[in-house]
C-alpha cells in the first residue's frame, strides 16, 4: 500500500502550479464520487487554490452542500483511468470500483483521499462568489499528503483537446530566483 | 520575424490548460511592462481565463487602470529570460530592452504582443470581484495569435520552487474523450 506522509499546506502550490490534470473527490457522507479536472491553479503560496467545477459535473451539488473536496494529483501511470473518469458520470457508475481506485479516509474533510495518487490535498471552500457566474471556486487546503518518496514531475497535463503531455527533464533555475528565494525554503 | 496568424479565441484554453509559465504585458499608453506568471488557468472553453496578479507586481496598477493585458506563452528557448523577467521589476528596468524582447502592436488592446512568444492572447478584464481579497482576475480573450507553425508542447512549467519542467511526448487519448468530443473540433 502506498505510504502517504503529511505534506506542508503552504507548499501545495508546488503540486498545482505545473498544471496537472487532477482528480477531485467529494462525499455526501454516504457515497463518494470522483471527477477529472484540468481547470485549476494556485492562488497564494499559503494553500489557497482555485478550480472550475460546474453543474455539468455530478460532484457539483455535493461540493455546494458540503463545502469540501479532496484534490488528488495522479501520476502518468493513471492517465487512461483519469481520462475515462472524466468521460463518464458518477450519476451512472461507481467510479472507484470501475477504475480500481481506493478511497482512504481524509483527516479534515469527509471526501476521501485517492490512494493511487501521488499526493492529495484536503480542501474546504474559501470563497464562492464567482461560482454562480463562472463556476470558479476558491479553495483552502486544510491538509495535504504526499507519497514517500514523491516521484519527480510525475503528473501529466491535458492540452485541451484530448491530448496530454508528460514531463521531460527538470531544469533547476533556483539560482536565478533572486526575488522569490523564500519559495525554495 | 515570427509570423503570427489569428488563433481562435474559443480555443485559447488549449494554450493555458497545460499549465504554462506565461508572460503578461500591460501598457499605460506611454510605457509597457512585462511580468512572469505561473498562477493561471482556463475558466471556460470560450476564451475566459483567470490569473493571479497582485499589487506586489508593478503591472498591477496598469491592469487596474486599463482593464487590459496580453498573455504571452513563451517556449523553452525563453526559459531563462522569463525567469529573470520575474525576478526584477518594471519599476526599475525596461524589461523589453534588457531581455531582448520585441513588443508588437495588438489589435484589440493597447498592451503589446511579445514577438518571441509561441502565442499571444489579447485580454480584457471580465470580472474583478475577487481582486481585492485574492488578486484573482477573470479575463476574456478578445483576440489571439499563434506562430505558424505552432511548435508542439513547447511551453514550460514552473514547479513552484524555481525548478521548471519541459514536456516529453504527447499522448493522444482523443478516442477516449467520448463525453467531450466537441473539444477536438
Amino acid at each position: 500500500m502506498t505510504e502517504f506522509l503529511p505534506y506542508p499546506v503552504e507548499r501545495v502550490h508546488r503540486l498545482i502550479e505545473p498544471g496537472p490534470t487532477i482528480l477531485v473527490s467529494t462525499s455526501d457522507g454516504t457515497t463518494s464520487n470522483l471527477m477529472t479536472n484540468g481547470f485549476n491553479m494556485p492562488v497564494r503560496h499559503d494553500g489557497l487554490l482555485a478550480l472550475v467545477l460546474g453543474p455539468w459535473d455530478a460532484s457539483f451539488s455535493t461540493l455546494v452542500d458540503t463545502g469540501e473536496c479532496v484534490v488528488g494529483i495522479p501520476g502518468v501511470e493513471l492517465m487512461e483511468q483519469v481520462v475515462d473518469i472524466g468521460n463518464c458520470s458518477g450519476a451512472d457508475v461507481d467510479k472507484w470500483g470501475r477504475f480500481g481506485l481506493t478511497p482512504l479516509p481524509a483527516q479534515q474533510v469527509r471526501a476521501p483521499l485517492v490512494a493511487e495518487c501521488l499526493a492529495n490535498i484536503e480542501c474546504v471552500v474559501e470563497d464562492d462568489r464567482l461560482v454562480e457566474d463562472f463556476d470558479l471556486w476558491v479553495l483552502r487546503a486544510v491538509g495535504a499528503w504526499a507519497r514517500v518518496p514523491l516521484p519527480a514531475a510525475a503528473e501529466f497535463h491535458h492540452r485541451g483537446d484530448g491530448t496530454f503531455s508528460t514531463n521531460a527533464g527538470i531544469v533547476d533555475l533556483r539560482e536565478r530566483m533572486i526575488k522569490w528565494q523564500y519559495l525554495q525554503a
Side-chain angles (χ1 to χ4, degrees), chain A:
Chain A
M1 181 53 104
T2 304
E3 190 188 7
F4 284 121
L5 283 186
Y7 187 86
V9 165
E10 66 275 15
R11 289 190 190 157
V12 297
H13 65 91
R14 294 186 187 177
L15 302 170
I16 297 294
E17 187 170 351
T21 303
I22 62 175
L23 291 172
V24 180
S25 95
T26 49
S27 170
D28 61 11
T30 307
T31 56
S32 59
N33 192 22
L34 265 182
M35 58 169 284
T36 300
N37 174 285
F39 285 17
N40 59 79
M41 66 174 178
V43 173
R44 289 223 188 275
H45 292 115
D46 66 356
L48 280 188
L49 312 175
L51 57 76
V52 176
L53 195 161
W56 56 86
D57 298 310
S59 305
F60 179 78
S61 61
T62 311
L63 182 57
V64 170
D65 291 344
T66 65
E68 297 179 349
C69 65
V70 165
V71 167
I73 317 289
V76 287
E77 72 284 358
L78 292 181
M79 200 181 320
E80 295 192 353
Q81 288 104 302
V82 168
V83 173
D84 291 348
I85 286 167
N87 281 278
C88 63
S89 173
D92 309 320
V93 62
D94 166 27
K95 297 196 193 182
W96 301 90
R98 175 142 167 193
F99 298 107
L101 298 179
T102 314
L104 294 178
Q107 212 165 71
Q108 309 290 332
V109 301
R110 283 188 303 184
L113 313 180
V114 186
E116 290 77 8
C117 279
L118 305 170
N120 285 278
I121 307 169
E122 304 185 27
C123 298
V124 298
V125 173
E126 171 84 6
D127 193 289
D128 62 4
R129 275 176 282 173
L130 296 194
V131 172
E132 184 174 350
D133 287 343
F134 303 114
D135 310 294
L136 191 163
W137 302 79
V138 178
L139 304 176
R140 177 174 296 281
V142 291
W145 307 88
R147 265 194 217 184
V148 179
L150 185 61
E155 85 286 354
F156 57 92
H157 311 261
H158 186 217
R159 310 196 65 79
D161 65 350
T163 66
F164 294 79
S165 51
T166 57
N167 300 308
I170 297 283
V171 182
D172 185 347
L173 297 178
R174 287 179 291 180
E175 284 194 357
R176 303 178 95 94
M177 296 285 278
I178 52 179
K179 189 172 160 186
W180 298 97
Q181 286 180 336
Y182 77 93
L183 293 181
Q184 301 168 32

